[in-house]
Amino acid sequence: MRQSIALRGAIFDMDGTILDSMPCWETVGLRYLLDRHIPVPDADGLARRLKTTTLPQAAQLYRDEFGITDDIPRICADITAMIARDYRETAPLKPHVRGMLRRMAEAGVRMCIATATDRALAEAALDRLGVRGYFSFLFTCQELNTSKREPYIFDRAAQALGTAKTDTVVFEDALHSIQTAVQAGYRVVGVYDRSAEAERGQILPLCTCYLRGWDELQIETS
């Protein structure tokens, strides 16, 4: 179903919204163990458990339950290196993102990224995929000392774009980020990602429109 929205400025989340990187995060624990030739009888169960853990907590789990003898900092460093390699080498754009960005640029929409991902990884992926030039700015939660449970990153992005809040649309896949943007007065376009499937019932009522895929978006200029 085609979804039409008018805008002058666009603030894009990256992971799960324009970059299909969530599978990298969901599988990194399993890949870490399999790379060490450690069998995992219940891969789905492991993924569910790791979804709510911090990286150090996951490292402790590998030590306690899978016999990893490396210390926690070493385990964390190895997993971080695996994720970095995913961003630099393999994580793809979601389908139809490139065409959508081209249409927005042709319509004169100003665009930026607001992400919780480390800048170096975000820029590596965007450069490799040839789309970084579409974005005027890239803001990270780490550099702004914030999270997407606070509206600061969205407000900074809109200020940098120079577009009024009413003319600016936030594109997000995660419930907590969508809630923050809506409460701050932004229109939000929800973007489907399998990682947020369980939250979709809560996401839908918050969004100005909701995309199952980027080919559904019809762009207007306000």
Side-chain angles (χ1 to χ4, degrees):
M1 180 184 298
R2 300 289 285 180
Q3 302 280 347
S4 181
I5 192 162
L7 72 167
R8 292 185 183 275
I11 301 171
F12 291 93
D13 171 56
M14 193 175 76
D15 297 284
T17 299
I18 62 171
L19 189 70
D20 194 11
S21 53
M22 298 312 293
C24 302
W25 293 97
E26 292 171 345
T27 63
V28 68
L30 176 63
R31 289 184 286 137
Y32 172 83
L33 294 170
L34 294 181
D35 282 354
R36 286 152 181 78
H37 307 289
I38 298 172
V40 182
D42 183 11
D44 290 340
L46 176 65
R48 285 192 298 271
R49 294 176 66 191
L50 292 177
K51 188 173 182 178
T52 58
T53 65
T54 64
L55 187 52
Q57 288 170 338
Q60 188 64 59
L61 183 151
Y62 300 144
R63 287 173 54 86
D64 293 344
E65 299 189 22
F66 292 95
I68 299 292
T69 56
D70 290 341
D71 62 23
I72 286 176
R74 177 72 257 174
I75 296 171
C76 291
D78 288 345
I79 293 172
T80 299
M82 292 175 68
I83 288 291
R85 188 162 59 249
D86 291 336
Y87 278 81
R88 295 188 177 108
E89 298 178 7
T90 61
L93 289 173
K94 290 189 130 184
H96 308 291
V97 163
R98 200 180 306 275
M100 174 274 298
L101 293 174
R102 184 177 63 252
R103 292 194 303 274
M104 281 203 182
E106 290 170 350
V109 177
R110 300 201 69 195
M111 296 176 275
C112 71
I113 296 283
T115 181
T117 297
D118 177 79
R119 174 178 289 275
L121 298 185
E123 290 182 343
L126 296 172
D127 283 337
R128 171 176 57 83
L129 293 163
V131 297
R132 185 177 169 192
Y134 284 110
F135 304 105
S136 300
F137 308 95
L138 189 152
F139 294 95
T140 72
C141 291
Q142 181 181 21
E143 290 174 342
L144 295 178
N145 192 29
T146 190
S147 78
K148 288 190 177 178
R149 297 190 185 278
E150 301 291 334
Y152 181 57
I153 191 168
F154 299 123
D155 291 341
R156 284 282 288 110
Q159 181 183 32
L161 289 176
T163 53
K165 186 175 288 190
T166 53
D167 291 328
T168 306
V169 173
V170 173
F171 294 87
E172 277 279 0
D173 68 302
L175 175 61
H176 73 278
S177 302
I178 291 170
Q179 289 172 328
T180 299
V182 169
Q183 289 166 5
Y186 292 93
R187 289 177 296 151
V188 173
V189 171
V191 180
Y192 174 79
D193 191 74
R194 187 179 60 81
S195 65
E197 177 66 44
E199 301 171 333
R200 192 155 64 98
Q202 296 170 268
I203 288 171
L204 286 171
L206 298 172
C207 297
T208 300
C209 63
Y210 184 81
L211 306 176
R212 294 285 303 189
W214 281 107
D215 56 333
E216 295 179 353
L217 184 64
Q218 180 72 40
I219 301 159
E220 303 175 9
T221 54
S222 60

